[in-house]
Structures are given as structure tokens and as C-alpha cells.
Amino acid sequence: EAGVTQSPTHLIKTRGQQATLRCSPISGHTSVYWYQQALGLGLQFLLWYDEGEERNRGNFPPRFSGRQFPNYSSELNVNALLLGDSALYLCASSSMGLNVADTQYFGPGTRLTVL
Amino acid sequence: QQQVKQSPQSLIVQKGGISIINCAYENTAFDYFPWYQQFPGKGPALLIAIRPDVSEKKEGRFTISFNKSAKQFSLHIMDSQPGDSATYFCAARVLRKTDSWGKFQFGAGTQVVVTP
């Protein structure tokens, strides 16, 4: 069974640009989570989607947004990029939707570098 | 703002020794406490998790100890092996339907190195 996949692996942008990151969950999983992993800060929760709806979001500005498609894949958009947005962005999926204690399976991440 | 504080930042332990990582949280609404293991170049993977109605949970060489009154929990890795060398993250989550429903708060991570 294929795991969570993310694309691209690496992304280099300049300040002010927009970045789009993509995630494909494990087949059958309806929930997708996005996290930012910056050096020394651990994982910061960004967004949670389930069944196409945004269920909750972390303490990030509105320029971090996303969506979930009917096939449950998801896209994270970061607008007006800042140098501080440079980080590893991780996507995770789970199979039990609104049962929030379910196991999350993480993808390998997208390394975003803002120059 | 780090709602879950993890220590130590790094840890070196000899093969066969015990690795201990501690976490403390502030929000009493948290009611699910997982630990994740992350190898370089990989995403984190769930290792073991506990809910606050129990004080200890053991799975193989990994044990979580939970102290609800102190708002602390810890991971013990018994008989540490070189293959355990990884970064470990504690986390806390709210399961009940509140404004914080589903949000995850992670610790900053502990890099564990097990020497042969």
C-alpha cells in the first residue's frame, strides 16, 4: 500500500512569491493534516481537513491556506512568502475522520526555501 | 508559544541503557498524548500514545509514564539500541469538541544517539 506522498520534494522561492505544496493521502484516508517543521521548533500544526472541509487551523496568518479535493488530496498555499517561512512542510493522513485519536501517517515532507 | 515543553534537547546513551525524555504541558484540555519517532529524511511515525485516565503504558521496550497532577509525561526507552537513534517528539491533542478540537501541539524534539 502506498504511503502519503508529497510534491515537490524541494521548492525554492523568493520573498513575496506564492508557494503551492501538494499531498496525496493513503488510499481510504479522508483526513489530511499539514504541519510546519522549522529548525529547533518541532512541528507546528497548520491545518486539518476532513471530507473536504477545514476542521481546524493552528496559529498561523491567513496567508497560509489550503483546500482538500474530492479525491481527498490536499494543497497548501503560502502567499507573500517571508524568509521565516523556510521550513519542512509535512502532510499526514488518517482514516478515521472525526475520531481525532486515530493514527496519523506522515509523508516525507516538502522542503521550502525562501530566498 | 510552546505549549508543550520537551527536554532534553539531545541525549547520548550507550547500547543497553535507558533513554528518558520528559514533556510538560500547560493546557488542561489536552487529553491525548502521543510520542513520535522521526528518522532523518522521513516523516514522523507514531510510536506510542496514552490518555490521561492511565498512569503508564508499555509497548515492548517503550513506556510512557503520565502524571496528570503535575501535567507531565515521559518516554522511557529500555535496552536502547543503535537503531533507536532518531529524533523523538512528544505531542498533546484535544479530543473533546472545543475550540481547540483536533489541534496538535508538539514538543521541540529530542535527538537521541545510541552508541554501540
Side-chain angles (χ1 to χ4, degrees):
Chain A
E1 180 184 273
V4 177
T5 59
Q6 292 186 245
S7 62
T9 304
H10 295 91
L11 188 57
I12 299 175
K13 294 285 186 179
T14 56
R15 277 182 300 175
Q17 285 189 315
Q18 178 191 38
T20 298
L21 290 65
R22 294 179 177 84
C23 172
S24 292
I26 290 173
S27 177
H29 286 191
T30 62
S31 274
V32 169
Y33 306 79
W34 286 97
Y35 297 87
Q36 182 193 66
Q37 187 174 25
L39 203 60
L41 291 179
L43 281 78
Q44 305 292 318
F45 168 74
L46 269 165
L47 290 159
W48 170 29
Y49 291 98
D50 181 72
E51 295 284 359
E53 290 189 28
E54 182 180 302
R55 298 293 181 180
N56 216 329
R57 63 180 293 132
N59 297 325
F60 282 84
R63 59 190 185 83
F64 287 84
S65 65
R67 54 181 172 166
Q68 187 177 33
F69 299 99
N71 66 353
Y72 303 115
S73 67
S74 178
E75 192 174 89
L76 173 69
N77 294 294
V78 188
N79 294 320
L81 284 166
L82 304 173
L83 295 178
D85 295 332
S86 295
L88 180 68
Y89 288 83
L90 290 162
C91 170
S93 75
S94 68
S95 63
M96 297 178 74
L98 302 183
N99 180 345
V100 294
D102 58 276
T103 299
Q104 295 187 12
Y105 295 86
F106 283 82
T110 292
R111 174 72 62 185
L112 173 64
T113 302
V114 182
L115 302 175
Chain B
Q1 182 185 4
Q2 201 73 25
Q3 290 195 25
V4 178
K5 295 182 179 178
Q6 183 172 345
S7 63
Q9 192 173 13
S10 62
L11 182 60
I12 299 174
V13 63
Q14 285 192 329
K15 180 181 175 182
I18 302 173
S19 303
I20 302 174
I21 306 169
N22 300 300
C23 282
Y25 63 97
E26 299 170 359
N27 188 348
T28 54
F30 290 138
D31 50 11
Y32 176 67
F33 303 90
W35 285 88
Y36 286 83
Q37 180 188 54
Q38 185 177 28
F39 294 105
K42 302 284 187 182
L46 179 67
L47 193 60
I48 186 172
I50 197 169
R51 300 209 191 186
D53 52 344
V54 297
S55 59
E56 186 175 281
K57 183 175 182 179
K58 183 176 180 180
E59 289 184 3
R61 296 184 293 108
F62 301 92
T63 300
I64 300 179
S65 298
F66 185 83
N67 186 329
K68 187 174 181 178
S69 60
K71 293 187 287 184
Q72 294 176 348
F73 58 110
S74 61
L75 176 70
H76 292 62
I77 306 174
M78 313 300 288
D79 186 27
S80 296
Q81 299 296 312
D84 296 332
S85 296
T87 300
Y88 293 81
F89 294 94
C90 63
R93 193 169 191 185
V94 178
L95 295 184
R96 288 163 291 162
K97 274 199 175 182
T98 65
D99 288 344
S100 300
W101 180 42
K103 284 188 180 180
F104 256 114
Q105 295 286 345
F106 279 80
T110 296
Q111 187 171 17
V112 174
V113 175
V114 181
T115 59

